[in-house]
Structures are given as C-alpha cells and as structure tokens.
Amino acid sequence: MGKHWHTTFILGLLAVLAAFGLAAPTVLAKDSPGEDANRYTVLLLDASDTETFHYSNTSTGAREEYVSDSSIDEVKAVGKKFLEGAESTLANNSIAIVSFGDGATVESGFTNDYQALLSALDGVTPPADGDDTESNNDMTAGLKAVQELFEGVDDADATRSVILCTSGIDEDGDYDYQGHYDSNTVGSNWQNIDTEIKLYAYSNCAYEVANDIKDAGATVYVLGIHKPIEDHMPKEVEDIASFFRLFCGDLASTEQSYHVVEDPEDLEFQFGQIWSDVLGASTVRIYNNSDGYAAGAPEEDPDPSSGAEHGGHFEDMAWGPSLFETPATQVHMQSMGDKDYANYHLAMICGNLSQAAYDTTYLKQTYKLLGVDEGDYSFYSYPQETTDDPDTSLNRWNARRDGTRFAGDSDLAFSLATREMVVDGEPCDLLIVNLKGTQDFYEVIKDGTAWADKDFYGYTAWDWVWDFEEDVFAGLEDYHTLHPELGDRPLKFLITGHSLGGAGANLVAAKLNREAEGDAWYAKNTDVDDIYAYTFGAIDSINGDTTDKTPVVNGYENIINVYNLLDTFGEGGSGVGPGIKAAGRTMYGKFGVFFTYANDMDGVVKEDSPWPTHEIIGYIQAVKNGWPEEDQGRGKVRVVIACPVDVAISQGDELACAVEGEEITAESPDIPMAVEGGHKVFLLPAGTAYTADIDATDAGTMQVAVQSAEPGSDLGVAFANVALEAGKHFSGEIPANLVEGTVELFVVDANGAILEQISPDGSTGGFLTLLGSFNWVVLAQAAVLPVALIVFSVWWLATHRTRKAAIAASAPRKD
C-alpha cells in the first residue's frame, strides 16, 4: 500500500453544509433552574491527503494501483459551516478543533470565540506533498490530543462529545498486534508498504484510546465518509473497505452514534441528530395541515433536505437532550415565554404533537423529525366488538381496553413512540405518550355527561377520562412487548394531549408519578424528575369539588397545564350547547401547575371556528407569543353573560368594552373578552368597580355569572333563567372587592331607574317570572308521585261514590 492515504469528504461532507444550515441550534440559557449543562465538544478532522491502494489483480496477477480523490477544501468549508451554525448555542458550549494526518495538531483549544475558531480552521492543511514518507494517517495521535483536552476540563458534570469525521483509515503512529483486532479480522492482510505494519495493528491502538475517552464519560460520534474511498474501488480492495466500516462503528459510543454517509442527500437528518445530541438542541420545523390558522399564518412546502415530506403551516422550535436536563419538577419554574428556556420549547413540541395527533400523516412526519425511527412508534385505538374484518373501523364508540394496535391512519386514540438520547452524558430512552382530543359527536356527549365516580389514589376521577388513562396503560403494556428493552436503562417520559387528550394525559402523568421507582418496567428506572407532561385546554380529570376547587400541585409539579381563561370549555364557558360543558365545568380539577392566559384568539384562529378559544392552534400561538404565565388568573373576575342581549361594561362614566350581538364593538387592553355561541365572556381586573348594562334583543332567558378567577375561590353569584323580551333593560353592579352577596342585578327603565331587583333564581317576585325560573324537568319529575296520588284519590272517591249510590238504589225501601 502507498503512503498517501486520503480521508476524502467530497460527497459526504458537502452535504453537511446544508445540514448545519437546516439544523441551526437554539440557545438554552446557562442560568436555567437546575444544574448548568456545560458542553465541551471536539471536532476531530481527518486532514490527510489522497490515498493510494496497491494490490495484485487476481485475474492478471499484475501489481496495480487505485488512488482516491482529495477534498481538504470541503473539510474546511464544513468546519466553517459547523461553527456558524453552532454560534447560537455557545452560551453553553465550548468547541475545540483537532486535525490529524502525520501526528495531530490542536488547531484550537476549547473556546467560545468564533473568530478564533474560524481562524484556527483556516490553518487546517494536509501534510506536505511530494515526500511519500511524510504523509500518513495517525488517528491514535488525534484521539490522544482529544483525551488531553478533556483532561484539562475542570467541570466534572460537563457533557463531553467528540465528532470524528473519517473514512476509517489509520496507518501510522502507535501500533499493537495484541488487541481488539487480529489476523482473523476482515482485511487483516493489508499493511503500510513502507513500514510493513498491518493496518489492524494501528487500529488496535486507536480503539483503546477511544475506549478510554468513552470510559471517562465522553460520547464519541463517528461520521463515516466511506463512499469517496469505495467509489470505483476494484473488487480486490473491498475487504479493506469492510474493515474501515467495522473500525468506525467500533470507535462510536453506540450503534446510533455511528452514521454512514451512503448518500449525501440522506445525511442531513442523520447529522441533525448528532448536532442535537452534541450541542443539546437543534431547530426542527414541524408542519401541520390545521385549518384553524387565521389568514396570513406562515405556510410553505418543505425543503426536501429537511426530512419533511408534507408542507403546510409550520412552527420552528428547538429539540434535543438539553430540554430534558432541567428536572421535570423544576421546569415549571422557567418562563414559558422565554426561548432561552426548555419550558418554552417543550411546550411548543408538545403543542405540535397534540395538533399532529388529529392527522396521522403529519404525526408520522413529526415523529420522524423528532428522531423516531419508523418501527419505533405505534398508533392505538379502541376496537369494536368484532374486528375479524380488516376493514372494520376502530373507534371509541365501542370502547374496550385491551391495547389492540392497528396499522391504519384513522380513528387514532393515542400513540406511543421512543427514541434514544444521551442526557447529561448518560444514554437513556425517551418514551413519548401523545393522546388525541375529542373529535366525534359521541366523544362530545361523553365529555359533557361524564360521572365523577372513579377512585384515583384517593381522588375522584371522571369515568370517561379514567377509562382513557386505563387504555393508555394497556397500550403501554402492549408496546413493551414490542420493545422489551424499555425500562432496562434510564427512561424519560414526554406526555401531552389537548382537550380530552389533555385530561387523559393529566391522569397518565399523575399515575406515573405515583408509581415512579416502583417495580413496573416503566417505573424501575424512572423518577418524577424524568416525567415531563404538558396539557392544553384540558377538560377536568378529577372532580374539583373534592379538591377544594384547586389543582393538586404538591408532588405533581412536573405536570404543566396550559389554559386559556376564556376557553369555551372552562368554568363559565359556553360548551357545545345547553348544559353541555367540559366534565367538571372548572379548570382546576387537575394535577399539576397552571400556566394561564386570556385571549379570544381573534386574528389568530379562523373566524369560522366554532370555539376559537379552545383550538390547539390557538394554544400553540399563545405559547409562541409568550402569553401564558403561572396562575395569571389571580386578581381577575370572570363575567359570563349567555343570552340574546347586547352588553356594555363601564368603569364609572367611561365605557370600557361592549358587545352587540356577536360583535365586539368596544374593547379595553385591560379586559380580555370573547364571544362564542352567544356567550359573552369578560375578565375584569379585581379592585375596580364596574357596571354592566344589558339590553335584551329577543325573547328568551338569560344566564349571568360573576365569579372570582382566583384558584380555590367560591366568591361570586350566578343569575339563572332571567326572563327576557326584546327591549328589556338590565343593569348589574360589580363591586371592586368581590364578596358574597355583593353582586346585584336589576331590571331598569330606559333612563336607568331601578324597577325590580333580580334574585339568583331569576325571579323578581312576580308570579310569571317566578314560573319562568323553575326547572320544569325537575319539577315534572318531582310532581309525578303527588299527581299520581291525586289521580288515584279522585278515582277512588269517584268509584266509592258510584258504588255507594248503587248499593243505596238496590237496598229494600221502607214504606
């Protein structure tokens, strides 16, 4: 063999230029709660020149030569692109550059100085040309230089990574015939023709140094650039090419950290995952086809090199192991509106997973973009009583909990997916649990008519939601049969869902909390800090009346519930019809902490949406715009008026906001408001007195509720079944300090003079109004027995009188 061994990067590393541009990382602040996640990364570049293979042609017996190409310029271009893309992560990352050819050169020690790194990269050159005795590949020297750099890092908790870009050729420096490779290894007959040392002997030394680096806690990623070496390679040389691949795979920490560049177009996604693992987070663009977006929302076709197949609306967010370095119980301490924190990006990822759950085409694509292999996600639904027919649809109408999987794309109930990660330097598995929300009419009815009768660790859960949680755990058991290795090493969970799916996710996360570190496969290597859960617009999972109308926070700080205080299905919301609202009818019947905001989603969600304040797209945009804050409901008074009326709310003599019909005609930046399905919802600041003037526009009844939005507060009053007729005027007084009995509602004349005061039952003392306030269904049920008794008495008296008369008529008369 000749001396000019070449680690060419022409085809493979050119593609990395595009990869790094696509996968630009996102900053995660160094001062996040929890331990700092400092990273030290060495870019180890094989900088040798062209390589020459000498071999004997088996057919002719002649000595022949095969020479590969050189691409040092491409190597440097890739390094430059790497540094440009990594710039946004250097709040947590330090990068060093080492090249190896004849020996090793530390081009730059660990630094955050990009100009210094770029200058160092410019100095990377192959060994001097012209002298065959001076140009070789000494990979062992390069790895030893990396080892020395890591030994100089004082931070014992820092994450250490090596990105080795090589063809796998090692032909100089230290060698040892005793080691991992021997004469039985493929390609063992190849040697350096000048030293007559077998190549596998050099590789034994490099292998040992790489193992020492890994044993010290670093992760070694290998980007195997084999194609340029193998292109047009004669058959007689193929065995050494097989050894190069074997050697590269052995140098990497895991099978997943060895990436073979077979085709440059396939490299972007692979290297994006290396980027994510090494630097902590890369930018992913997740597409969906939601029709909930308002006009003007970003929409595009995907870049073919992004790994996405379907375009549509998109969101950019960070994704990677650094999102799981802050303990789950401390994530809630971070700002959800600050893109420097994991909380924001986890919420965005989960919101988009919840959106994708409604369309499995996009869900599959989303899992792929998050690094989940096709065989590592499963979709679950509820089977019908008979599933022998492969065309039988699967849905929740005939629910049965047996964890049955299905391969179709319709009627999804929930999905499970796993991928490997290296978090804080430790390999682990991430299990994603994604529950879909209400989608068909039956589910709407079940949401609104659920019973709170299921015991859940001493709390009372709603049966419909509890059933969902039980189905998910049945699915987990089924999934474990497909992936029996899960639970054998650290296991982290990411759990999410919207609406009904959010309620189910809330219970799933709470159950995992209670069983963490238990004997079950999903608990033995998991604790509460490993369980990350985000719900959006979730209906209740437990009965708020049994929790003093407050969320159960203590011990469940890892569960984050994002809620729009104007949500259709929240407390006082309009629901989907008379009497049909979310199970529990309050936002506080859940486990975990709340991040709340108040927005009618006008201009965010399409105007024709039946419940814009509840759309998952609205929740995603709320997180993106930084609206949710922890317990933002404090200091607010919620006013809900449901009826055919116009409403004007004033502060003293100043009009604050107004609604005419379904249209908001006046608004205040201090008063979030929404109109949905005839319901007018206002959030008034506490501490200020307001007057609500109400004008009936049609006949009917009116419902008015004035309640404190403070968690756990019972303050407020509701006026039910207030009789209306067109032109009738009302006025309500809302005091600055809401205490029991202080909210008053009056019937007034056109000049505002009080005519009558309205009681909470809707009556004003008049007989007809009193009748209008009755619940006639309940009244009819209550009247059944008395009416039956009266009818029986009348019948008995009539019958008794008739018989008495007949007896008297037939009796003998006395003269």
Side-chain angles (χ1 to χ4, degrees):
M1 292 182 71
K3 292 294 186 63
H4 295 288
W5 290 90
H6 168 58
T7 49
T8 183
F9 291 70
I10 292 178
L11 294 176
L13 289 182
L14 272 176
V16 180
L17 293 171
F20 285 135
L22 276 168
T26 301
V27 175
L28 294 179
K30 193 170 181 177
D31 58 352
S32 301
E35 296 182 359
D36 292 344
N38 296 317
R39 293 178 176 78
Y40 292 84
T41 303
V42 180
L43 185 60
L44 180 57
L45 302 177
D46 187 338
S48 63
D49 206 343
T50 57
E51 300 296 348
T52 302
F53 299 82
H54 290 157
Y55 63 98
S56 296
N57 189 308
T58 55
S59 60
T60 65
R63 182 178 175 84
E64 298 193 15
E65 182 177 277
Y66 169 67
V67 182
S68 62
D69 296 327
S70 173
S71 58
I72 189 64
D73 290 340
E74 285 78 6
V75 172
K76 294 170 70 172
V78 168
K80 181 178 180 181
K81 196 68 177 179
F82 178 91
L83 295 175
E84 290 174 350
E87 185 171 5
S88 60
T89 67
L90 284 189
N92 286 70
N93 286 276
S94 295
I95 295 176
I97 301 174
V98 174
S99 65
F100 63 92
D102 285 339
T105 301
V106 178
E107 308 288 353
S108 172
F110 290 116
T111 180
N112 294 351
D113 186 339
Y114 277 101
Q115 292 306 312
L117 287 166
L118 289 169
S119 297
L121 185 64
D122 287 339
V124 176
T125 58
D129 294 332
D131 185 350
D132 285 350
T133 64
E134 295 181 357
S135 183
N136 280 303
N137 250 25
D138 188 352
M139 189 183 296
T140 300
L143 289 166
K144 284 184 175 180
V146 172
Q147 194 174 34
E148 291 179 5
L149 284 170
F150 284 147
E151 288 173 352
V153 175
D154 294 331
D155 186 352
D157 296 323
T159 298
R160 297 166 171 81
S161 302
V162 182
I163 300 178
L164 169 59
C165 298
T166 183
S167 63
I169 297 174
D170 185 18
E171 51 146 358
D172 199 11
D174 296 343
Y175 68 93
D176 189 344
Y177 283 98
Q178 303 298 316
H180 187 68
Y181 307 109
D182 55 30
S183 59
N184 295 315
T185 304
V186 63
S188 61
N189 59 319
W190 286 82
Q191 66 183 27
N192 182 315
I193 61 173
D194 290 316
T195 64
E196 297 185 350
I197 295 173
K198 301 290 187 181
L199 296 189
Y200 76 79
Y202 293 115
S203 298
N204 274 335
C205 291
Y207 176 86
E208 291 301 322
V209 178
N211 275 353
D212 290 342
I213 292 173
K214 290 182 280 190
D215 290 343
T219 302
V220 177
Y221 298 87
V222 178
L223 188 60
I225 313 298
H226 306 303
K227 186 176 175 61
I229 294 291
E230 297 172 356
D231 272 357
H232 315 299
M233 180 175 274
K235 184 176 179 62
E236 289 83 357
V237 190
E238 289 180 353
D239 57 343
I240 191 60
S242 296
F243 176 71
F244 294 157
R245 287 176 176 254
L246 172 68
F247 178 43
C248 286
D250 290 342
L251 292 174
S253 291
T254 65
E255 292 183 7
Q256 289 70 34
S257 55
Y258 169 42
H259 296 259
V260 177
V261 182
E262 299 286 3
D263 186 334
E265 292 186 358
D266 295 336
L267 178 62
E268 286 84 350
F269 180 69
Q270 293 175 336
F271 206 83
Q273 293 309 308
I274 296 178
W275 183 297
S276 173
D277 291 343
V278 170
L279 298 181
S282 62
T283 297
V284 293
R285 173 162 290 182
I286 296 180
Y287 294 89
N288 66 72
N289 69 336
S290 171
D291 59 359
Y293 272 112
E299 186 171 6
E300 69 171 19
D301 292 328
D303 184 332
S305 62
S306 70
E309 299 174 0
H310 307 283
H313 299 290
F314 66 88
E315 303 292 347
D316 287 333
M317 63 212 77
W319 173 247
S322 61
L323 302 184
F324 300 93
E325 289 172 351
T326 301
T329 52
Q330 295 185 36
V331 168
H332 74 279
M333 297 168 60
Q334 300 177 341
S335 169
M336 190 169 286
D338 191 334
K339 296 182 182 180
D340 283 351
Y341 291 101
N343 198 5
Y344 167 83
H345 296 286
L346 282 172
M348 286 292 288
I349 290 288
C350 287
N352 280 274
L353 279 169
S354 294
Q355 168 61 42
Y358 291 100
D359 188 326
T360 54
T361 298
Y362 285 86
L363 182 57
K364 291 177 181 178
Q365 177 170 286
T366 299
Y367 281 142
K368 179 181 178 182
L369 292 171
L370 296 182
V372 178
D373 293 333
E374 186 172 352
D376 290 336
Y377 59 76
S378 293
F379 294 159
Y380 292 83
S381 187
Y382 302 99
Q384 292 183 341
E385 294 301 328
T386 302
T387 57
D388 295 335
D389 182 357
D391 296 326
T392 300
S393 64
L394 305 174
N395 56 55
R396 302 181 191 177
W397 191 278
N398 294 304
R400 186 175 65 201
R401 289 186 302 278
D402 62 4
T404 299
R405 290 180 298 113
F406 74 106
D409 291 343
S410 61
D411 301 310
L412 175 70
F414 62 94
S415 59
L416 304 173
T418 52
R419 61 154 292 181
E420 295 184 6
M421 280 187 168
V422 177
V423 180
D424 289 326
E426 183 177 22
C428 65
D429 294 303
L430 173 68
L431 177 51
I432 301 173
V433 184
N434 186 11
L435 288 70
K436 189 180 76 172
T438 298
Q439 197 167 30
D440 62 37
F441 178 73
Y442 175 74
E443 293 167 354
V444 171
I445 298 301
K446 288 292 290 183
D447 287 352
T449 59
W451 290 90
D453 60 0
K454 296 293 185 181
D455 179 71
F456 187 83
Y457 299 102
Y459 297 95
T460 304
W462 295 89
D463 57 355
W464 178 232
V465 180
W466 183 86
D467 286 343
F468 201 177
E469 168 265 308
E470 291 292 291
D471 287 312
V472 171
F473 272 87
L476 283 168
E477 293 302 327
D478 172 75
Y479 190 80
H480 190 237
T481 64
L482 302 175
H483 304 274
E485 73 283 358
L486 287 177
D488 292 342
R489 63 179 183 176
L491 179 63
K492 294 181 182 291
F493 283 86
L494 183 63
I495 307 163
T496 190
H498 167 246
S499 192
L500 170 63
N506 190 265
L507 282 193
V508 169
K511 183 171 182 177
L512 287 171
N513 272 29
R514 296 299 295 258
E515 299 190 9
E517 300 180 333
D519 296 330
W521 65 266
Y522 51 77
K524 62 183 180 181
N525 279 313
T526 299
D527 60 31
V528 176
D529 278 335
D530 297 319
I531 303 166
Y532 300 77
Y534 287 78
T535 79
F536 304 89
I539 64 176
D540 278 359
S541 58
I542 54 177
N543 188 354
D545 290 339
T546 63
T547 63
D548 296 325
K549 295 187 178 180
T550 60
V552 181
V553 176
N554 189 28
Y556 302 93
E557 293 86 354
N558 57 318
I559 304 174
I560 294 177
N561 305 284
V562 184
Y563 214 95
N564 186 352
L565 291 171
L566 300 182
D567 194 296
T568 303
F569 300 97
E571 187 173 18
S574 61
V576 293
I580 303 297
K581 298 183 178 66
R585 295 164 173 79
T586 169
M587 60 176 280
Y588 295 112
K590 300 176 185 67
F591 295 95
V593 298
F594 271 86
F595 278 77
T596 58
Y597 66 97
N599 195 288
D600 65 357
M601 308 316 296
D602 182 41
V604 177
V605 175
K606 283 187 175 179
E607 294 180 358
D608 58 358
S609 170
W611 33 76
T613 57
H614 187 64
E615 293 271 14
I616 181 59
I617 288 300
Y619 277 95
I620 293 172
Q621 294 306 299
V623 173
K624 185 176 181 180
N625 293 325
W627 298 338
E629 296 179 8
E630 196 168 2
D631 274 337
Q632 198 182 56
R634 297 187 185 279
K636 297 285 187 181
V637 175
R638 182 186 293 104
V639 178
V640 182
I641 303 173
C643 49
V645 297
D646 297 334
V647 180
I649 293 183
S650 303
Q651 182 184 354
D653 295 331
E654 295 291 328
L655 178 66
C657 52
V659 176
E660 294 182 6
E662 301 285 308
E663 182 181 356
I664 296 175
T665 58
E667 54 187 323
S668 165
D670 298 326
I671 302 177
M673 54 191 299
V675 181
E676 295 183 17
H679 290 62
K680 289 81 175 174
V681 185
F682 308 86
L683 276 177
L684 307 179
T688 303
Y690 289 92
T691 299
D693 293 309
I694 305 168
D695 295 327
T697 58
D698 202 350
T701 58
M702 174 173 65
Q703 324 294 327
V704 178
V706 181
Q707 302 161 319
S708 170
E710 185 82 13
S713 175
D714 288 323
L715 293 178
V717 66
F719 300 90
N721 301 314
V722 180
L724 298 179
E725 59 185 43
K728 193 172 183 178
H729 304 290
F730 302 85
S731 181
E733 300 298 329
I734 304 169
N737 297 307
L738 191 63
V739 296
E740 188 174 358
T742 58
V743 179
E744 297 178 312
L745 182 63
F746 304 94
V747 179
V748 299
D749 63 18
N751 296 318
I754 295 176
L755 301 178
E756 296 175 297
Q757 183 168 0
I758 298 175
S759 300
D761 62 4
S763 67
T764 58
F767 179 69
L768 292 177
T769 301
L770 183 62
L771 289 179
S773 68
F774 286 158
N775 185 324
W776 289 102
V777 174
V778 176
L779 182 63
Q781 292 173 341
V784 169
L785 182 59
V787 169
L789 289 173
I790 293 172
V791 170
F792 176 78
S793 299
V794 171
W795 172 83
W796 186 86
L797 287 173
T799 303
H800 178 72
R801 183 172 295 177
T802 301
R803 289 185 59 198
K804 187 175 181 180
I807 292 172
S810 62
R813 294 177 61 89
K814 288 185 179 180
D815 294 327

